[in-house]
Amino acid sequence: VPRRCDADGNGNLVVSVRNDTTLPITGVQIAISYTDAYGRAALKRHSISGQILPGKIASVNAGIPYTPGSSCPADVVAAQIVE
């Protein structure tokens, strides 16, 4: 499941997930690796509720600072096809 990272108007990370399958997907979970305010490595998980229909995009605001153009610190770690 492809993902994309962008910054919102406040410079926070927004992760977008696109469903490239021909069936709806659900149970999408995203893991974000980042450095916290104290310089420690941290991991944050977010779930996207509901279904993502084929060809559609769903987004979640992680609420952590992100610099546009830097590497995307998010990975899709779970998703299920709705049958």
Side-chain angles (χ1 to χ4, degrees):
V1 178
R3 51 68 174 136
R4 174 182 168 151
C5 291
D6 295 293
D8 69 5
N10 295 319
N12 289 320
L13 174 65
V14 176
V15 181
S16 300
V17 176
R18 186 179 67 233
N19 180 0
D20 281 348
T21 72
T22 58
L23 298 169
I25 60 174
T26 190
V28 176
Q29 294 184 21
I30 300 165
I32 302 165
S33 300
Y34 67 102
T35 302
D36 70 12
Y38 301 102
R40 298 177 298 205
L43 182 68
K44 192 173 197 180
R45 283 185 171 246
H46 285 277
S47 297
I48 296 178
S49 61
Q51 295 183 7
I52 305 174
L53 299 175
K56 298 298 180 184
I57 296 171
S59 300
V60 63
N61 190 318
I64 57 176
Y66 178 70
T67 303
S70 62
S71 64
C72 184
D75 289 302
V76 176
V77 294
Q80 298 173 345
I81 292 177
V82 178
E83 297 186 41

